[in-house]
Amino acid sequence: MKDFNYHSAKDSKEASQLASSSSAFLAGGMTTIPSMKLGLATYQDLIDIKNIKKLSGIKVSGKSVTIGAATKHVEVSNSKDVKKAIPSLSSLAEGIGDPQVRNRGTIGGSIANNDPSADYPSACIALNATIHTNERKIEAAKFFKGMFETALKKGELIEAIEFQIPEKSSYQKHPNPASRYAIVGVYVAKYKGDVNVAVTGAKSCVYNDKEMSKALSGNFSSSSINGMDLDSSEMNTDMHASAEFRASLVVTQAKKAVDAC
Amino acid sequence: MGKISLEVNGRKVEKEAPDNTLLSTFLREYLQLTGTHIGCDTSQCGACVVHVDGNSLKSCTALAADVNGSKVTTIEGLETNGKMHPMQEAFKKLHGLQCGFCTPGMVMSAVDLLQKNKKPSDTEIRDWLEGNICRCTGYQNIVAAVKEAATKI
Ligand SMILES: Cc1cc2nc3c(=O)[nH]c(=O)nc-3n(C[C@H](O)[C@H](O)[C@H](O)COP(=O)(O)OP(=O)(O)OC[C@H]3O[C@@H](n4cnc5c(N)ncnc54)[C@H](O)[C@@H]3O)c2cc1C
Ligand code: FES
Ligand code: FES
């Protein structure tokens, strides 16, 4: 791994002042460090944001759950407040990787990285999340732009993610047996008069499946999407699954999610 | 370059190291604690698991700088007065290892599990050891060893 300068920022202001075109923020490091070790990424400066107090913690208000960007997966999965308000979100966190990944990895790092098979991006889309940065608020639907690409500008720091509490919700994934990343994951959330069906792992970027959302908004039962033949032309094919298999998995996982709601 | 101060296995240590020094490198090459193994470059195998402030982590995926000031326990720190930790005894007794490469990480992970869940079921043990890969044993005896240790701790 090439050498770099390590900085620990005290607050968001210092973190964004230190940022440059050759820096990265360091949260859990569970993506950044392996990428640097493999030579896929090099930075001159790593700006550790874990010591910024404001970025950690979970708050539940009447309608929403707000999670600080540097909050670890283990904290979300263990949180009684999250379990009570949005149980599917704590079980999503519990299903990420392994205990050591969950002890370090953060929600902000996960969504900033926007891996096409990461779990949290689907929660953001399904739960009508708002991404709070040090500069602005971004709706989840406008945040995830493409493979490993988000609306974040260089040096823009995610401070918190605010999820809207649904009436019912469930996240179901078909995990890669080695890494636990989603080969396909589907997050279904039901609000008054509206259902979101967020899909991760299937395409180059997380998305809300309009066809299934519409069917489920009309009739919230797995029978209304049973046998749905989704277009697989934009779906991923790799050593783990073909596009056709993924299209079929999306429907299977969505049905499981609806039944589990 | 910066100063790294840690408490490792109860002993205070302080060394200068470049900022890109991984915790695993710091333990193995600066402190000669080579019980912590390195099996991969992708944070997947778990051979490098140690405890930092009471929680298990993969030391190959943490910078020494980033855990500065913490208390670290490695496999070398488990014994007391030359007596093996009950988890080590159980691995030995039930053949929870063959080549032994994965063992330090397995044991450190399993000890952390028992800190959090005193009587884990087989499924809970298997789930917890998700991040520890063993090429030899087929895991059966590892799970048996963790169950045995749970009766002794
Ligand atoms: C073995 C293994 C298995 C895994 N399995 C899964 C899985 O099953 N599901 C899953 O979803 N993920 C999985 N992950 C990924 C894991 O969830 C990571 O924690 C996550 O992708 C990155 O989070 P981090 O906090 O470690 O970020 P880092 O690696 O520290 O940072 C990642 C990127 O995000 C940027 N960043 C971090 N925080 C912020 C912020 N607040 N604002 C702006 N930018 C920021 C960094 O600059 C960097 O570019 C796995 C990882 C490993 C190593
Ligand atoms: S060496 Fe750390 S996970 Fe493989
Ligand atoms: S005993 Fe050989 S890898 Fe586990």
Side-chain angles (χ1 to χ4, degrees):
Chain A
M1 185 164 58
K2 291 223 173 86
D3 203 9
F4 49 79
N5 299 307
Y6 169 87
H7 312 267
S8 175
K10 286 186 306 294
D11 51 35
S12 299
K13 201 167 150 218
E14 190 186 359
S16 57
Q17 275 168 355
L18 285 165
S20 71
S21 57
S22 55
S23 73
F25 295 126
L26 179 70
M30 297 311 299
T31 295
T32 304
I33 295 177
S35 325
M36 292 177 80
K37 285 205 291 187
L38 293 169
L40 298 172
T42 47
Y43 303 106
Q44 261 167 32
D45 298 280
L46 279 191
I47 306 155
D48 195 343
I49 57 168
K50 282 190 297 296
N51 302 319
I52 306 177
K53 289 225 167 57
K54 189 181 162 193
L55 299 191
S56 283
I58 298 168
K59 266 189 266 149
V60 180
S61 74
K63 285 193 180 139
S64 65
V65 173
T66 304
I67 303 181
T71 308
K72 296 178 183 118
H73 305 331
V74 65
E75 294 167 305
V76 176
S77 76
N78 287 345
S79 160
K80 288 202 178 77
D81 290 339
V82 178
K83 272 190 189 134
K84 204 165 147 218
I86 317 181
S88 57
L89 190 60
S90 71
S91 62
L92 174 147
E94 202 179 347
I96 295 176
D98 56 57
Q100 290 74 34
V101 169
R102 297 194 290 273
N103 275 342
R104 299 287 287 173
T106 68
I107 185 167
S110 175
I111 69 165
N113 192 48
N114 193 18
D115 188 300
S117 43
D119 297 304
Y120 269 127
S122 70
C124 296
I125 296 288
L127 301 170
N128 296 327
T130 307
I131 320 298
H132 296 249
T133 78
N134 58 337
E135 296 178 16
R136 57 191 167 137
K137 293 180 186 176
I138 312 169
E139 285 169 39
K142 297 192 178 134
F143 182 82
F144 301 102
K145 292 283 194 196
M147 192 150 132
F148 296 108
E149 208 186 313
T150 66
L152 289 174
K153 291 180 281 184
K154 196 72 215 175
E156 189 172 4
L157 183 73
I158 304 172
E159 294 190 324
I161 300 98
E162 182 183 358
F163 298 96
Q164 300 306 315
I165 300 174
E167 284 176 7
K168 297 174 178 178
S169 62
S170 170
Y171 176 66
Q172 299 289 328
K173 80 166 154 176
H174 185 79
N176 175 319
S179 71
R180 299 276 128 185
Y181 270 105
I183 290 178
V184 161
V186 180
Y187 207 129
V188 172
K190 183 179 185 308
Y191 292 89
K192 259 199 191 82
D194 206 8
V195 176
N196 292 327
V197 183
V199 180
T200 187
K203 297 188 180 177
S204 57
C205 182
V206 64
Y207 65 98
N208 197 356
D209 192 296
K210 295 280 179 313
E211 215 181 327
M212 287 198 283
S213 301
K214 202 170 148 217
L216 289 168
S217 300
N219 173 20
F220 194 72
S221 150
S222 58
S223 63
S224 60
I225 53 170
N226 195 16
M228 211 176 235
D229 190 15
L230 300 180
D231 178 8
S232 66
S233 61
E234 283 176 16
M235 292 199 185
N236 305 331
T237 287
D238 54 29
M239 66 195 243
H240 307 297
S242 66
E244 294 75 20
F245 182 41
R246 280 195 162 85
S248 150
L249 274 177
V250 172
V251 179
T252 310
Q253 300 303 314
K255 279 170 56 189
K256 270 200 198 165
V258 173
D259 289 338
C261 271
Chain B
M1 204 74 179
K3 190 179 284 171
I4 308 294
S5 315
L6 296 172
E7 189 182 314
V8 181
N9 302 331
R11 189 166 63 94
K12 289 214 162 43
V13 295
E14 210 170 81
K15 302 232 181 222
E16 288 281 329
D19 287 2
N20 67 346
T21 308
L22 297 167
L23 176 58
S24 53
T25 310
F26 190 77
L27 294 170
R28 290 176 53 83
E29 293 175 20
Y30 288 66
L31 306 179
Q32 280 73 50
L33 292 171
T34 51
T36 297
H37 290 172
I38 302 300
C40 72
D41 251 340
T42 50
S43 313
Q44 264 167 338
C45 76
C48 63
V49 170
V50 302
H51 298 183
V52 171
D53 293 333
N55 291 311
S56 53
L57 61 72
K58 292 175 177 172
S59 62
C60 73
T61 315
L63 301 174
D66 163 349
V67 299
N68 216 343
S70 306
K71 284 190 179 160
V72 179
T73 308
T74 69
I75 189 77
E76 290 91 344
L78 285 188
E79 52 107 23
T80 26
N81 304 325
K83 213 171 150 279
M84 279 196 282
H85 186 277
M87 187 65 75
Q88 293 170 307
E89 285 286 0
F91 268 67
K92 182 177 169 216
K93 181 175 156 201
L94 294 172
H95 304 286
L97 64 149
Q98 287 178 26
C99 79
F101 196 84
C102 69
T103 315
M106 282 288 176
V107 168
M108 294 312 286
S109 251
V111 169
D112 190 25
L113 167 64
L114 296 190
Q115 286 172 8
K116 279 149 196 166
N117 180 351
K118 290 202 164 21
K119 288 272 171 289
S121 66
D122 281 24
T123 313
E124 286 168 333
I125 295 170
R126 286 176 188 277
D127 278 353
W128 186 272
L129 296 177
E130 174 65 43
N132 294 87
I133 295 174
C134 176
R135 289 277 180 233
C136 305
T137 62
Y139 302 99
Q140 304 291 6
N141 293 352
I142 291 176
V143 176
V146 179
K147 283 200 99 156
E148 160 97 3
T151 66
K152 303 273 160 67
I153 292 176

